[in-house]
Amino acid sequence: MTGSVPLISESPEDPFSMGRAASVVLDDRGLLTGWSARAQALLGYPAEEVYGRRAADLLVDPQDRDLVREAVAACRADNGWFGFLPVRDRQGARQYFGLRVRRLTRSAGADEWFLVGAPAQEVAQWELDRRVMDGLFRQSPIGLTIHDPSLTILRINRAIAGIGGITPDQARGHRIGDFLVREDAETIEARLRQVLETGAPMIFTEQPGRLRGEAGERYVSASAFRLDDASGGAMGVALLVEDVTDRHRARRRLAMLNRASKKIGTTLDVETTARELVEAAVPGLADCVTVDLLQAVDLGEEPLPGGEGLLVRSALKSTAPNPERVMYPVGTLRTFPLDAPQTRALLTRRPILVAEFDPEAPASGLDPEQAAHARKLGAHSLMVVPLTARGLVLGLVCLWRYAVTEPFEEDDLTLASEFAALAAVSIDNARRYTQQHRTALALQRRLLPGEFPQHPAVAVAHRYLPAGGATGVGGDWFDVIPLSGARVALVVGDVVGHGINAAATMGRMRTAVHTLADLDLEPDEVLSHLDDLVTRLAVEHEAWGQGAPSEQVVGATCLYAVYNPVSRICTLARAGHPPPVLLTPDGQASLPELPTGPPLGLGGLPFESVDLELPEDSTLALYTNGLIEGTQHDVDAGLARLCDVLSGPPEPLEETCQAVVDALLPVRPADDVALLLARTRTLEPGRVATWVLPAEPTAPARARGLTEQQLAEWGLEEMIFTTELIVSELVTNAYRYAGGPVTLRLIHLHRLICEVSDPSSTSPHLRRARSTDEGGRGLMLVAQLTARWGTRHAREGKTVWTEQELPSRTGSAALF
């Protein structure tokens, strides 16, 4: 190793410095003429032992003579030498030294050789440090600048010079602010001053580092440490700089994607999800974003394959004011030109990047006025990403840049595709939910009753609130069913579960209740038949493989009540259902004693009916458990609140109904809720006539006479003949086959009702009479003369009833 380097360094860390190196002088013959105290300390020879002796004999081991001769020859040829040689000390041990040799010419013309040596290990370490420093300035990819205490640049390496497009000489004597934008330079210099003042290093601090006149962003990772002199004073500060713009962008994109994954898809609503997408992308990724969905998707329907059809603008966000001047507003229906990037993205299902976008190009998808505004705004870059999920094209996302001067890159397109993938799955989920929700609501609207017609027995008000869960439909229902004899059936039921399955089961049960009501069965009998139905439904449900093994596949509760406005008797039975609340006219709310009964579907267990005599204008509140359970599922507390809300002077039913809902339910109840309020009426005594006739042959004649007289009082003379025939036939049958007293009742309402009761439980039946038969035509005649007729059974006996239409001059509006 050779080189022309200074013999003596003043740096205290330099192994060749005056205090650390051994100094030796040889004359031209190789005799030792100079020997320093450091040489004595390192090799052990005192000066008096070495003067005048040949260095080769004293300091060179015989095995090293050839190596030394080569070094001497090189030294004479170059008038100096630097390298490593073994030297023998006074103990005979060989030590490697780093040596610097230089020829010295005396004034007398004699030549001498001045040698400076230090242990090889120290020299090697020093050289390595020198090479590292040289590498930092010449070869290191990390930028390095050296500043004096005033932060003036003393030296920069090639990496910094390459970033700034300057030479080291151009940088020397300048400050950072001469090359970076003011805000970024002030940030860096403030941190460098802190390093100078405290001595604490700055490590890997990321900050903007934009060059003056440079478009776009630049981020650097900066580290700095103070440079101290031998006395510990600050000589300056060294700044290490690495361009981390790409890493910063990647980290920012990852953070944006993470935020987007939390923000997009928070609801099962198509338009909300589209808005969440544009909110996540603006302004971080783009300056303007639009979402256009196929019209079928917006309506919750299955889109056509291939992305065909009209597009609906579902969301729009821009950093510029009045974005509608450039983009079509939300709700606009439109298509794009065939050669537009949007059309190509829909057809190919691939994202498209237009780094240099011309808004005034024919294929831009903008009309001339919009294109002019976009040009004025500075729109220059476009990305179009199709929204696809589960093999379906749902729409597309368009992203524009105008405020950010840098065009979109492939990494931006990748991020936009990730955004679109997140949104597409959520939009498709929302579309499917919308489709099922609309189907379920349509089903339930057809299963639940609408507005009830006026009835002489009760005035009603009702509410149905589906659960605020997945489908918004459930198995709760209510009904008001007109019965014979001006009576009315009030029904409230609850099928276990929510959704379409529960709603479908509820529909079957409601149909069954109507059928059973037409049979005029007692409430406990109705519940017994419903219990059989639910058991059969459970068997069907299980046979089709629906429901988990541990899940009760079908179950229901029900309360069935029949109110008679003539007797003011309300007969009630319940199957596992919450009890009704009775509000009397004096404002007292209470829970009538009513056997609970088992829930429907357990099978084989009895139900029991109870008769309550209700004062006129009493109010019955029938409801499902969702009304009283609340969030705490405390039924007793819910019942107490319900009674408290209902208590007090009677209010209009609609107001009372709403007051109950407002007091007991949140905005989105956790369970389905059905509420039915019924205020009882009593028929005016003048509209009801009742007679008990003995079982005698004269009973039919007497019945005809009483009927004629009563119809005349009611002004129904036109109906006397027909009604006498009906009454005569029914009373005659009762006299012949019942064997007991006969009760005749006429009721004048929207129809003329005739009821004949007897103690027999045998029902009359229509039959075809032969030409030779003397009888058998009575019920056929009754059926022809009436609008409706039928039979209902009581605990003792039966009642045959008929209904006749009133003459057209008698309007029903004045009857109740």
Side-chain angles (χ1 to χ4, degrees):
M1 180 184 294
T2 62
S4 56
V5 295
L7 283 175
I8 303 295
S9 170
E10 295 302 326
S11 171
E13 298 179 358
D14 190 347
F16 293 111
S17 62
M18 294 294 296
R20 300 182 62 184
S23 301
V24 178
V25 180
L26 301 178
D27 63 13
D28 197 42
R29 295 172 298 170
L31 300 179
L32 291 161
T33 59
W35 189 260
S36 69
R38 184 61 177 161
Q40 178 178 338
L42 293 174
L43 297 175
Y45 294 104
E48 58 270 16
E49 290 186 15
V50 301
Y51 286 143
R53 299 182 63 177
R54 287 177 56 84
D57 297 334
L58 181 66
L59 302 176
V60 178
D61 191 272
Q63 63 179 320
D64 300 323
R65 291 185 184 276
D66 292 340
L67 184 63
V68 171
R69 288 193 189 97
E70 293 178 5
V72 169
C75 182
R76 289 184 180 278
D78 297 333
N79 291 324
W81 183 82
F82 168 71
F84 295 90
L85 286 176
V87 179
R88 184 174 61 187
D89 62 16
R90 193 177 186 191
Q91 305 299 325
R94 297 167 67 240
Q95 298 185 34
Y96 272 86
F97 275 74
L99 299 175
R100 288 179 177 173
V101 184
R102 178 171 296 178
R103 183 196 296 270
L104 301 176
T105 302
R106 299 294 184 182
S107 57
D111 289 336
E112 290 182 334
W113 301 90
F114 183 51
L115 289 77
V116 180
Q121 185 176 2
E122 296 182 11
V123 175
Q125 184 63 48
W126 171 251
E127 280 296 313
L128 179 61
D129 292 345
R130 286 171 56 84
R131 296 301 178 188
V132 168
M133 287 299 297
D134 185 66
L136 286 175
F137 281 97
R138 296 179 181 274
Q139 299 174 335
S140 172
I142 299 176
L144 173 63
T145 66
I146 306 299
H147 302 259
D148 66 14
S150 68
L151 299 184
T152 299
I153 297 174
L154 299 176
R155 186 178 180 184
I156 65 172
N157 69 352
R158 291 180 178 177
I160 285 288
I163 293 175
I166 57 176
T167 65
D169 290 338
Q170 290 173 329
R172 190 177 295 113
H174 289 274
R175 297 176 65 93
I176 296 176
D178 295 330
F179 304 104
L180 299 186
V181 298
R182 183 175 57 83
E183 297 86 351
D184 299 350
E186 289 176 351
T187 300
I188 294 177
E189 288 192 344
R191 291 173 174 169
L192 292 181
R193 278 191 291 271
Q194 187 176 8
V195 172
L196 280 170
E197 293 170 1
T198 65
M202 176 178 69
I203 301 175
F204 300 131
T205 301
E206 287 195 11
Q207 58 195 41
R210 295 163 293 175
L211 296 172
R212 284 191 172 186
E214 180 184 51
E217 62 182 6
R218 184 188 295 273
Y219 280 83
V220 297
S221 174
S223 299
F225 57 90
R226 191 170 70 182
L227 300 174
D228 296 335
D229 58 21
S231 62
M235 297 175 57
V237 62
L239 174 64
L240 294 151
V241 179
E242 181 182 5
D243 189 336
V244 293
T245 303
D246 291 340
R247 186 172 70 193
H248 179 83
R249 289 175 178 172
R251 189 163 55 243
R252 184 175 61 194
R253 292 186 182 107
L254 184 61
M256 289 175 59
L257 183 60
N258 184 52
R259 289 193 299 270
S261 65
K262 297 177 182 178
K263 179 181 289 188
I264 297 174
T266 60
T267 66
L268 287 172
D269 181 76
V270 171
E271 293 183 356
T272 300
T273 304
R275 287 195 300 270
E276 290 170 345
L277 173 56
V278 300
E279 291 287 343
V282 177
L285 178 59
D287 298 315
C288 180
V289 176
T290 61
V291 176
D292 297 293
L293 299 178
L294 291 169
Q295 189 178 23
V297 175
D298 190 63
L299 297 175
E301 301 171 358
E302 189 90 359
L304 295 173
E308 301 174 6
L310 288 173
L311 291 163
V312 181
R313 177 62 46 86
S314 301
L316 164 64
K317 185 175 182 182
S318 173
T319 58
N322 302 319
E324 291 79 6
R325 298 178 64 188
V326 181
M327 304 295 170
Y328 289 102
V330 172
T332 304
L333 285 171
R334 62 165 309 183
T335 57
F336 290 94
L338 290 177
D339 54 347
Q342 291 86 345
T343 304
R344 286 188 284 123
L346 285 173
L347 294 178
T348 63
R349 302 189 181 188
R350 295 182 179 275
I352 293 177
L353 170 62
V354 184
E356 296 181 0
F357 172 69
D358 182 5
E360 295 179 326
S364 68
L366 302 175
D367 62 33
E369 184 178 355
Q370 290 175 328
H373 284 297
R375 170 71 71 183
K376 184 178 180 180
L377 197 60
H380 61 84
S381 192
L382 167 67
M383 292 190 298
V384 182
V385 183
L387 291 166
T388 60
R390 302 180 180 96
L392 296 175
V393 180
L394 308 175
L396 50 85
V397 185
C398 298
L399 306 94
W400 283 268
R401 273 186 179 171
Y402 48 80
V404 177
T405 56
E406 293 177 323
F408 287 120
E409 302 173 349
E410 288 296 331
D411 288 341
D412 297 315
L413 187 62
T414 301
L415 179 60
S417 299
E418 293 288 346
F419 277 32
L422 285 172
V425 172
S426 297
I427 288 172
D428 193 48
N429 289 339
R431 176 193 66 81
R432 292 178 175 216
Y433 164 76
T434 301
Q435 185 180 44
Q436 294 180 6
H437 182 63
R438 290 178 177 174
T439 301
L441 288 180
L443 172 64
Q444 191 152 44
R445 278 196 297 269
R446 285 159 177 79
L447 293 177
L448 287 173
E451 290 301 319
F452 298 109
Q454 286 187 327
H455 195 278
V458 292
V460 297
H462 54 84
R463 293 290 187 275
Y464 175 79
L465 287 83
T471 60
V473 295
D476 291 17
W477 92 94
F478 57 90
D479 228 326
V480 178
I481 306 173
L483 300 178
S484 64
R487 298 170 307 130
V488 66
L490 306 172
V491 191
V492 172
D494 183 359
V495 174
V496 172
H498 306 284
I500 293 180
N501 288 336
T505 302
M506 174 268 287
R508 296 180 70 175
M509 293 188 65
R510 181 170 178 254
T511 301
V513 169
H514 274 262
T515 302
L516 295 171
D518 286 341
L519 297 177
D520 265 326
L521 300 178
E522 292 291 314
D524 55 341
E525 295 182 72
V526 171
L527 294 183
S528 295
H529 286 289
L530 283 180
D531 184 53
D532 294 338
L533 172 64
V534 173
T535 301
R536 290 196 301 271
L537 291 178
V539 173
E540 292 178 9
H541 191 84
E542 195 171 23
W544 283 97
Q546 300 176 5
S550 61
E551 178 186 3
Q552 182 181 357
V553 289
V554 175
T557 65
C558 183
L559 190 152
Y560 188 90
V562 175
Y563 175 68
N564 189 333
V566 177
S567 63
R568 294 188 286 107
I569 297 296
C570 184
T571 306
L572 306 95
R574 59 178 176 143
H577 202 81
V581 175
L582 174 61
L583 176 65
T584 53
D586 60 1
Q588 298 296 317
S590 62
L591 301 174
E593 293 186 6
L594 182 63
T596 303
L600 300 175
L602 296 184
L605 298 176
F607 300 94
E608 185 177 350
S609 296
V610 170
D611 291 339
L612 300 177
E613 185 174 352
L614 305 181
E616 187 176 4
D617 290 330
S618 297
T619 302
L620 272 176
L622 284 65
Y623 52 89
T624 53
N625 60 349
L627 181 70
I628 58 174
E629 285 188 351
T631 58
Q632 304 300 322
H633 300 284
D634 188 340
V635 174
D636 292 336
L639 284 172
R641 289 198 304 273
L642 176 58
C643 291
D644 185 62
V645 174
L646 290 174
S647 297
E651 300 287 343
L653 280 182
E654 283 295 332
E655 295 181 14
T656 304
C657 202
Q658 190 59 45
V660 170
V661 170
D662 294 340
L664 273 70
L665 293 178
V667 177
R668 293 176 65 86
D671 194 8
D672 307 317
V673 175
L675 172 64
L676 176 64
L677 298 184
R679 183 161 293 165
T680 63
R681 293 169 171 157
T682 302
L683 296 187
E684 299 175 12
R687 292 192 177 274
V688 180
T690 305
W691 304 276
V692 177
L693 306 175
E696 297 175 351
T698 60
R702 186 181 176 190
R704 288 194 296 271
L706 293 171
T707 299
E708 180 181 4
Q709 181 181 353
Q710 187 61 56
L711 293 184
E713 290 182 9
W714 285 341
L716 300 177
E717 290 85 355
E718 299 176 27
M719 302 182 67
I720 291 176
F721 178 75
T722 302
T723 308
E724 282 183 339
L725 289 176
I726 296 170
V727 167
S728 179
E729 178 61 30
L730 296 181
V731 172
T732 298
N733 283 343
Y735 158 70
R736 286 181 178 178
Y737 305 111
V742 178
T743 300
L744 171 63
R745 175 176 290 157
L746 297 177
I747 303 174
H748 179 203
L749 293 173
H750 60 295
R751 285 181 174 181
L752 178 63
I753 301 171
C754 174
E755 295 183 343
V756 175
S757 304
D758 61 59
S760 173
S761 59
T762 302
S763 298
H765 295 282
L766 283 174
R767 66 185 180 89
R768 182 179 297 276
R770 291 172 295 185
S771 59
T772 58
D773 290 342
E774 295 183 3
R777 298 177 179 83
L779 285 182
M780 182 70 71
L781 180 64
V782 169
Q784 295 297 319
L785 296 177
T786 61
R788 291 200 314 154
W789 77 277
T791 304
R792 67 173 181 268
H793 291 267
R795 291 182 178 87
E796 296 181 0
K798 68 176 183 299
T799 298
V800 181
W801 55 269
T802 65
E803 292 184 3
Q804 297 170 260
E805 298 289 350
L806 298 178
S808 58
R809 62 181 176 82
T810 306
S812 62
L815 297 180
F816 50 85

